[in-house]
Amino acid sequence: MLKKILARIALVLAALFLVAQFIRSEKNIGDLQSPNDITVLYPVPADVQSMLRTSCYDCHSNATRYPWYAEIQPIG
């Protein structure tokens, strides 16, 4: 009896996980540079600009690079 209940719960959870794969949130992907970008407002050396792009722009810009696991819901 307990095995049947656990099997049904597992089946319902698997079905919910499968349905969640089709419900996607909007992603923050853009190529345009913002007029408020620090490299537009201030002169920034090339090495600092490179560090900003690799370390900061992923979270603090409209050009987010998503990892592979961002495609799996509900993580994404």
Side-chain angles (χ1 to χ4, degrees), residues 23-42:
I23 302 170
R24 303 283 179 170
S25 60
E26 186 176 338
K27 292 192 175 183
N28 186 20
I29 299 175
D31 294 333
L32 299 176
Q33 192 172 20
S34 170
N36 295 326
D37 191 332
I38 192 167
T39 59
V40 173
L41 298 175
Y42 302 103

Side-chain angles (χ1 to χ4, degrees), residues 62-74:
N62 289 330
T64 305
R65 291 175 304 183
Y66 291 95
W68 64 270
Y69 53 83
E71 297 297 324
I72 302 171
Q73 302 301 327

